[in-house]
Amino acid sequence: MRESVRRATQVCPVEVAIAVVGGAWKMTVVKQLRDGPLRFGELTRAVGPVTPRVLTRQLRELEADGVVHREVYPQVPPRVEYSLTPLGQTLGSLVESLDAWGADYLAQAPVR
Amino acid sequence: MRESVRRATQVCPVEVAIAVVGGAWKMTVVKQLRDGPLRFGELTRAVGPVTPRVLTRQLRELEADGVVHREVYPQVPPRVEYSLTPLGQTLGSLVESLDAWGADYLAQAPVR
DNA sequence: CAGAATCCAACGTGATACTG
DNA sequence: CAGTATCACGTTGGATTCTG
């Protein structure tokens, strides 16, 4: 268990959830993977203006937390596919809620 | 609109939601305020091992994002009450979902 | 009581260049 | 293609002390 998650257990279950999914790009990754596995490059483009360096780290953390599965196909050129684990799939409704709330928030507080 | 929220708008609504509620203690604050207004001291004790310095900053951000209302009663000793705004109340179901997911996560990945 | 001031360490995030 | 190496930096969260 990652340290930040372990610390959250000392506070409240909601902090645990935030510790797992609260990082930048993480919930967007989950959102994109809901439609099926994606290769690293596909995921990079789908998520947005994220650098490979950063996306890799977020994926590693999601993997460590059991949310994402990383499948390496030993071939040239390399092929690595990311997918949601069963646990990751349980985040589906949460992603939808966050997506809807964020959209509502933008509707009532427009970007200036 | 806070800068981190504005940046999130360039990515995805889910990132906007995370930008608003993703900070440490924030969703725990919302959870505690669901049962009604709390004074600063009460909130400090209810949230957990948070320092006044940090809790104040998180509350200011939640206030700036329109989630929390801060009511000052001009008296001695000072009395300041925090409550959820209508927007903050719309986070209710999200808090419940996060709480449930976090609890499930702990059940399947016990603290070691 | 409800914070503000000051200071700081750690972390999260990012740009750029390079590689098996 | 899917990263890694290196470097850099702003923000976050925190400890401590002090105050109207």
Side-chain angles (χ1 to χ4, degrees), chain B residues 36-53:
Chain B
L38 287 178
R39 300 180 61 171
F40 182 80
E42 295 170 332
L43 197 50
T44 302
R45 286 184 292 276
V47 163
V50 62
T51 62
R53 162 85 163 84

Side-chain angles (χ1 to χ4, degrees), chain B residues 44-105:
Chain B
T44 302
R45 286 184 292 276
V47 163
V50 62
T51 62
R53 162 85 163 84
V54 170
L55 183 60
T56 297
R57 267 226 329 244
Q58 303 302 77
L59 286 169
R60 292 286 193 277
E61 292 187 0
L62 288 171
E63 195 186 355
D65 292 335
V67 171
V68 156
H69 173 68
R70 179 173 179 263
E71 184 74 36
V72 181
Y73 297 89
Q75 58 189 41
V76 179
R79 174 187 185 88
V80 177
E81 275 191 0
Y82 291 90
S83 57
L84 293 181
T85 63
L87 176 65
Q89 288 170 21
T90 67
L91 286 170
S93 60
L94 212 41
V95 171
E96 282 178 18
S97 298
L98 288 167
D99 206 32
W101 195 89
D104 286 355
Y105 182 86

Side-chain angles (χ1 to χ4, degrees), chain A residues 1 9 11-18 20 22 25 28 31 47 65 87 90-91 94 97-99 101-103 105-106 109, chain B residues 1 9 11-15 17-18 20 22 25 28 31 47 65 87 90-91 94 97-99 101-103 105-106 109:
Chain A
M1 177 178 268
T9 63
V11 182
C12 180
V14 309
E15 293 296 323
V16 173
I18 291 295
V20 172
W25 314 109
T28 303
K31 180 183 176 182
V47 164
D65 291 335
L87 175 65
T90 66
L91 285 170
L94 213 41
S97 298
L98 287 167
D99 207 31
W101 194 89
Y105 182 86
L106 291 180
Chain B
M1 175 177 269
T9 64
V11 182
C12 181
V14 309
E15 293 296 323
I18 291 295
V20 172
W25 313 109
T28 303
K31 181 182 175 184
V47 163
D65 292 335
L87 176 65
T90 67
L91 286 170
L94 212 41
S97 298
L98 288 167
D99 206 32
W101 195 89
Y105 182 86
L106 291 180

Side-chain angles (χ1 to χ4, degrees), chain A residues 24-25 51 57-58 78:
Chain A
W25 314 109
T51 61
R57 266 229 327 244
Q58 303 303 74

